[in-house]
Amino acid sequence: MLRQAAAQSMRKALPRTITRNFASAAPEMKGDYTIVDHTYDAIVVGAGGAGLRAAMGLSEAGFKTACVTKLFPTRSHTVAAQGGVNAALGNMSSDDWRWHMYDTVKGSDWLGDQDAIHYMCREAPKAVLELEEFGLPFSRTEEGKIYQRAFGGQSLEFGKGGQAHRCACAADRTGHAMLHTLYGRSLAFDTTYFIEYFAMDLIMAKDDNNENSNSNSACVGVMALNMEDGTIHRINAKNTVLATGGYGRAYFSCTSAHTCTGDGNAMAMRAGLANQDPEFVQFHPTGIYGAGCLITEGCRGEGGILRNSEGERFMERFAPSAKDLASRDVVSRAMTMEIRDGRGVGPKKDHCYLHLDHLPAELLAERLPGISETAAIFAGVDVTKEPIPVLPTVHYNMGGVSTNHLGECLKTEFNEDGSWKSDTVVPGLFAAGEAACASVHGANRLGANSLLDIVVFGRACALRIAEIAKPGDPAPAMPEHAGLDSLKVLDDLRFADGDKPTSEIRMEMQMAMQENAAVYRTSEVLAEGKVKIDDVVQSFANVGVSDRSMIWNTDLVETLELRNLLGCAATTMHSAEARTESRGAHAHENFPDRDDEVWMKHTVAYFNEKTGKTEVKYRPVHSYTLDEDECKYVHPFARVY
């Protein structure tokens, strides 16, 4: 039914297109390509929670909206989110969004921009109640209110009132419920879906509203490949939203889907923008040992306990107050320390146990049905009788494309000496979700703030576009032969005849990241990692693609994805090596303390694809809220749980 509705939506777009052939404009290309031109008011790239919320909001406001996605929308990685979405609804006890903001700032280890955190936490109750109105089937209390579970790093009364129950959930399948709800809702507003289209590059043009602009500084559209028939689509629009998710697949072991390849981050970097704070990579404490599949923090929120080989509940030593519900970076480091000290479990003593077997079977069946099934399939355990073997696993990228709290992408200007000068909005370009860095998560994201991030900032992008544009506004002109460079890269990769297959280069990249940018980092290991990842980047020049066709050429698409991953991986490694402190998810053994005097600043990392070089610069953290009368700035202090 949904596929049919989407197909009908796609067919509506076809009469408004122009088809042309680019071969004459590009004689150096080996292939012949059909180019289809489209014009829309707005484009959303990605159809996860952030993309669908943005597309729905834009269509609802009357904008002719195109949503370009390389997956069928309900296969997007939001579907894998389990635990829930944070909002100070106060259904389980009294609550206040300011307490939520305090917890988020503390969780970010003061690298988060407090104006953006202010906005997200203030808008959270409204955004979650909107989801309820859209039909999201939240779990319920006996009174019929949305059920909220305990989650890591959440407290009452600015950390003084004990554990908060702030995480609204739909059993342990909240992301699945959210994605289906938003997709169904978006179809009601006539969004046009370009399903299984791979977005290759942004189309940039001179900003007509800025007389001083000499470069292509405004976004006017997107180039995309239709994977089904091999046609190239050039989509022109006044506003574009990047909502392409993270790049977990830069690592060998991660909870991310194979499609999480940093496409939006790489497109932005090729357009001259930065990957902000990429060194902060979250390791989820509980990935299934050997498989990497996610076991939600909701397990510990419902009473699950981590134990070592001695049967000790070791988190009582590392976080006496929060215990197993300390923030994720704290728990992941504690587990790693236990394993290092010889208290791991299993034949190799290289993982820990998560116990749910002391909880009532009825509670597990009601609130954690998906986890019970996942543990049985991937770990072969019955959670009512035995523990789940778990290990910290790459889960989330705190970094991304720099944006403000409205979702507008930022370009940072620097003085001649390399110091920060200013941040300016990139006309026509927005970002939301894991692809973006607002920065609400700073150095460490709190559990259940990611689903909140995607709905709040997907919604914010739509609201901001509705403020600055009107449906039917003429789309800005594209440069002559717009997208030709992108098509040339596609052609070069399609006919690449190097001696290294894509899979081999990808494995070398993933192993370098896994070994040299892990939970704990040292100067020596990171310096070695820089050399390794730079060598892998250079080896991409020798890639070989065996399939020359244009119809469902997965070899070619995986090579395009690897191209995107390499820029994300390189900026992550170089940024991590440069940051000589420990903050949030960046645990540096040579520099174990947080250094606010020197390092309370955002990394902005640039990747030059032509040279393979990475450049690391910095911009200031926003140490202010949107309104000091409404919500006070949270001053830094020692972060303990």
Side-chain angles (χ1 to χ4, degrees):
M1 179 70 181
L2 291 180
R3 277 189 180 275
Q4 184 181 13
Q8 289 171 348
S9 180
M10 186 67 239
R11 280 197 293 274
K12 288 175 191 172
L14 295 179
R16 299 194 287 262
T17 63
I18 302 167
T19 304
R20 61 186 63 178
N21 192 296
F22 257 19
S24 59
E28 71 277 14
M29 293 191 200
K30 293 182 180 178
D32 205 10
Y33 301 95
T34 300
I35 309 296
V36 185
D37 282 347
H38 308 259
T39 303
Y40 285 87
D41 293 329
I43 307 165
V44 178
V45 184
L52 289 178
R53 185 61 188 85
M56 187 209 85
L58 289 164
S59 295
E60 190 175 11
F63 291 93
K64 184 176 143 190
T65 305
C67 185
V68 179
T69 170
K70 66 180 180 181
L71 298 163
F72 191 76
T74 53
R75 288 181 177 271
S76 297
H77 194 53
T78 301
V79 80
Q82 297 170 353
V85 51
N86 285 328
L89 300 176
N91 290 347
M92 314 303 283
S93 66
S94 61
D95 205 353
D96 191 310
W97 65 261
R98 294 167 187 82
W99 302 345
H100 181 193
M101 180 192 161
Y102 167 89
D103 291 332
T104 301
V105 173
K106 180 183 174 184
S108 80
D109 219 353
W110 280 271
L111 199 75
D113 289 339
Q114 294 199 27
D115 55 341
I117 296 172
H118 180 172
Y119 180 82
M120 180 179 77
C121 296
R122 186 187 68 194
E123 297 297 308
K126 193 185 301 181
V128 170
L129 292 175
E130 273 184 354
L131 292 173
E132 183 186 31
E133 290 170 10
F134 297 161
L136 200 155
F138 284 109
S139 297
R140 298 283 167 177
T141 64
E142 288 185 5
E143 298 85 34
K145 295 178 180 177
I146 294 173
Y147 168 70
Q148 293 181 277
R149 58 166 53 115
F151 234 65
Q154 300 290 339
S155 71
L156 301 172
E157 299 175 17
F158 304 106
K160 298 171 186 171
Q163 178 67 46
H165 289 68
R166 190 174 288 141
C167 176
C169 60
D172 59 357
R173 298 176 176 130
T174 315
H176 180 275
M178 181 183 288
L179 201 61
H180 282 262
T181 299
L182 288 173
Y183 183 50
R185 179 76 175 175
S186 71
L187 290 175
F189 295 105
D190 202 25
T191 304
T192 300
Y193 282 91
F194 290 77
I195 293 173
E196 291 169 339
Y197 281 64
F198 187 87
M200 298 188 297
D201 277 296
L202 298 172
I203 299 172
M204 306 298 287
K206 188 175 177 182
D207 180 11
D208 292 334
N209 297 318
N210 184 356
E211 294 178 2
N212 299 320
S213 172
N214 296 316
S215 61
N216 289 341
S217 58
C219 182
V220 297
V222 168
M223 288 289 285
L225 163 69
N226 181 346
M227 294 186 283
E228 183 180 12
D229 64 12
T231 53
I232 306 298
H233 294 254
R234 193 167 60 166
I235 311 173
N236 184 202
K238 190 170 185 180
N239 291 291
T240 299
V241 181
L242 292 174
T244 52
Y247 56 91
R249 281 290 154 183
Y251 283 78
F252 178 69
S253 177
C254 63
T255 65
S256 308
H258 287 280
T259 53
C260 295
T261 53
D263 302 333
N265 305 63
M267 288 163 67
M269 284 192 283
R270 286 194 288 273
L273 304 182
N275 198 14
Q276 178 173 298
D277 295 335
E279 66 266 42
F280 298 102
V281 178
Q282 182 167 88
F283 284 73
H284 196 289
T286 54
I288 291 181
Y289 172 69
C293 300
L294 177 66
I295 296 293
T296 177
E297 192 169 318
C299 291
R300 285 170 285 136
E302 298 293 349
I305 294 170
L306 289 164
R307 295 192 188 275
N308 59 23
S309 60
E310 298 172 4
E312 179 198 8
R313 186 181 185 181
F314 58 87
M315 282 310 301
E316 291 180 334
R317 278 190 281 114
F318 292 94
S321 298
K323 299 183 178 68
D324 297 85
L325 287 175
S327 66
R328 288 176 176 175
D329 60 321
V330 173
V331 181
S332 288
R333 283 196 293 275
M335 292 173 69
T336 304
M337 288 298 291
E338 289 299 293
I339 293 165
R340 277 185 175 186
D341 292 343
R343 291 187 291 274
V345 301
K348 296 181 180 178
K349 293 186 169 293
D350 58 351
H351 57 284
C352 298
Y353 279 146
L354 174 63
H355 284 265
L356 302 175
D357 45 324
H358 60 290
L359 300 174
E362 313 84 67
L363 182 142
L364 294 172
E366 178 190 348
R367 295 183 185 166
L368 299 169
I371 290 306
S372 303
E373 185 181 355
T374 300
I377 293 169
F378 292 100
V381 302
D382 179 348
V383 295
T384 64
K385 298 175 182 174
E386 49 196 331
I388 307 170
V390 292
L391 189 68
T393 307
V394 168
H395 180 60
Y396 189 87
N397 299 106
M398 269 72 77
V401 185
S402 307
T403 74
N404 59 21
H405 72 279
L406 303 173
E408 295 171 311
C409 289
L410 301 176
K411 183 166 187 175
T412 303
E413 305 290 341
F414 298 94
N415 295 310
E416 286 184 15
D417 63 358
S419 62
W420 176 81
K421 181 181 179 183
S422 64
D423 295 320
T424 55
V425 169
V426 180
L429 188 61
F430 296 75
E434 195 173 351
C437 185
S439 151
V440 287
H441 307 306
N444 173 68
R445 175 176 68 78
L446 291 186
N449 267 359
S450 57
L451 288 185
L452 177 61
D453 173 6
I454 63 179
V455 292
V456 165
F457 290 104
R459 175 176 175 264
C461 289
L463 291 173
R464 180 59 177 161
I465 290 170
E467 275 181 26
I468 62 175
K470 293 191 178 83
D473 280 353
M478 292 192 291
E480 188 179 6
H481 301 320
L484 196 60
D485 290 347
S486 180
L487 190 58
K488 178 68 170 72
V489 171
L490 176 78
D491 185 75
D492 288 345
L493 292 178
R494 178 186 173 192
F495 293 99
D497 58 0
D499 56 6
K500 296 195 79 167
T502 299
S503 58
E504 185 179 321
I505 300 173
R506 183 173 59 224
M507 179 61 73
E508 289 172 358
M509 171 196 67
Q510 291 174 335
M511 294 311 297
M513 296 301 293
Q514 196 74 32
E515 292 168 5
N516 294 81
V519 174
Y520 277 100
R521 301 162 177 184
T522 68
S523 299
E524 183 183 356
V525 168
L526 288 168
E528 180 187 60
K530 271 175 57 176
V531 174
K532 280 186 184 177
I533 204 68
D534 286 348
D535 287 346
V536 175
V537 167
Q538 296 300 330
S539 75
F540 189 67
N542 299 320
V543 73
V545 174
S546 56
D547 186 353
R548 308 291 189 221
S549 74
M550 287 296 288
I551 296 174
W552 287 121
N553 187 341
T554 54
D555 192 10
L556 175 59
V557 171
E558 286 184 20
T559 306
L560 290 167
E561 289 176 327
L562 174 60
R563 173 199 183 203
N564 291 337
L565 280 170
L566 287 170
C568 296
T571 51
T572 299
M573 190 72 78
H574 280 258
S575 300
E577 194 272 340
R579 185 173 285 269
T580 53
E581 66 156 356
S582 288
R583 184 186 296 269
H586 178 65
H588 201 307
E589 294 193 81
N590 300 98
F591 304 93
D593 300 319
R594 191 179 81 202
D595 184 352
D596 289 341
E597 254 185 63
V598 177
W599 286 107
M600 193 183 281
K601 56 188 177 184
H602 293 300
T603 302
V604 280
Y606 298 86
F607 180 71
N608 186 322
E609 198 172 89
K610 291 178 180 174
T611 63
K613 301 295 184 186
T614 300
E615 185 179 16
V616 178
K617 295 184 177 181
Y618 300 93
R619 59 182 286 260
V621 171
H622 289 185
S623 299
Y624 50 85
T625 66
L626 292 175
D627 182 350
E628 280 289 323
D629 293 332
E630 183 178 55
C631 187
K632 300 290 184 191
Y633 172 72
V634 181
H635 291 274
F637 57 83
R639 182 168 164 261
V640 292
Y641 288 93

